[in-house]
Amino acid sequence: MPYIKLTDEEMFVCRMLGVMRRSVASKNVKDQQVGKDCVWSIDIDGVVAEYCTAKHFNVCPDLTVSPRSGGADLTGRTGKSIDVKSTRRKNGRLLATLKKAVNPCDIYVLAIVDDEGSDVAGWATKEMLFDDKNKIDLGHGVGYALIQEHLNRF
């Protein structure tokens, strides 16, 4: 899996965007974070994952901080919508809520984030991810999950 190492300056931009997005979202959007990690860290990791994935695909990352709910994080060079999911767990799964299947993106990417960038672990189409056989309850309600071995490699 490709590892994307960010410069100190790129990490600074990602941290600032993550904090700004969390600040804006806390006033406008109902929090739907899954997991017990710090919401600020989750948002920063999300931006790092998006930035690294954009860098891997050689597309422009979304640098906006306006309120959002769902939708694509990136648009690929072929015009496909991409939703990037992040985790710090080396064996983490590609996860999506049931609600994501209602208006899905074309592609879902799993990025495993650390303090210097991320591994772009793999990807799945919406058809692969939103299959009933992938429904599971990992302690936060039923959602969709794919283990890394079932993801397409880059």
Side-chain angles (χ1 to χ4, degrees), residues 105-117:
C105 289
D106 298 311
I107 304 290
Y108 290 81
V109 173
L110 176 62
I112 301 171
V113 177
D114 63 27
D115 292 337
E116 296 181 335

Side-chain angles (χ1 to χ4, degrees), residues 83 85 94-101 108 129-130 142-145:
D83 191 354
K85 302 299 184 182
L94 178 62
L95 303 176
T97 62
L98 296 178
K99 182 179 163 185
K100 289 276 188 178
Y108 290 81
L129 180 58
F130 299 121
V142 176
Y144 295 95

Side-chain angles (χ1 to χ4, degrees), residues 50-51 53-55 57-63 73-77:
E50 291 173 27
Y51 194 96
T53 303
K55 197 169 179 177
F57 285 129
N58 197 27
V59 297
C60 188
D62 180 357
L63 303 176
D73 295 318
L74 303 169
T75 301
R77 288 182 287 176

Side-chain angles (χ1 to χ4, degrees), residues 135-146:
K135 286 184 178 177
I136 189 170
D137 187 343
L138 297 172
H140 304 283
V142 176
Y144 295 95
L146 280 175

Side-chain angles (χ1 to χ4, degrees), residues 1 4 6 11 23 49 59 61 64 70 73-74 87 96 119 122 126-127 129 140 149:
M1 77 182 81
I4 309 299
L6 301 181
M11 285 299 296
S23 297
V59 297
T64 63
D73 295 318
L74 303 169
T87 184
D119 283 312
K126 61 186 174 188
E127 293 83 9
L129 180 58
H140 304 283
E149 291 77 19

Side-chain angles (χ1 to χ4, degrees), residues 18-138:
V19 168
M20 292 167 67
R21 284 183 182 177
R22 169 53 49 184
S23 297
V24 169
S26 66
K27 297 176 186 168
N28 297 294
V29 179
K30 182 184 174 208
D31 189 9
Q32 297 180 357
Q33 298 289 160
V34 177
K36 297 177 182 171
D37 297 333
C38 167
V39 293
W40 297 92
S41 295
I42 291 171
D43 283 354
I44 291 168
D45 285 355
V47 175
V48 170
E50 291 173 27
Y51 194 96
C52 288
T53 303
K55 197 169 179 177
H56 174 71
F57 285 129
N58 197 27
V59 297
C60 188
D62 180 357
L63 303 176
T64 63
V65 296
S66 57
R68 60 176 87 183
S69 179
D73 295 318
L74 303 169
T75 301
R77 288 182 287 176
T78 60
K80 292 196 181 283
S81 58
I82 302 169
D83 191 354
V84 180
K85 302 299 184 182
S86 66
T87 184
R88 282 191 170 254
R89 293 167 182 83
K90 293 291 182 197
N91 65 343
R93 303 177 194 201
L94 178 62
L95 303 176
T97 62
L98 296 178
K99 182 179 163 185
K100 289 276 188 178
V102 175
N103 189 20
C105 289
D106 298 311
I107 304 290
Y108 290 81
V109 173
L110 176 62
I112 301 171
V113 177
D114 63 27
D115 292 337
E116 296 181 335
S118 79
D119 283 312
V120 185
W123 62 278
T125 64
K126 61 186 174 188
E127 293 83 9
M128 288 171 60
L129 180 58
F130 299 121
D131 187 319
D132 283 343
K133 71 180 180 195
N134 296 327
K135 286 184 178 177
I136 189 170
D137 187 343
L138 297 172

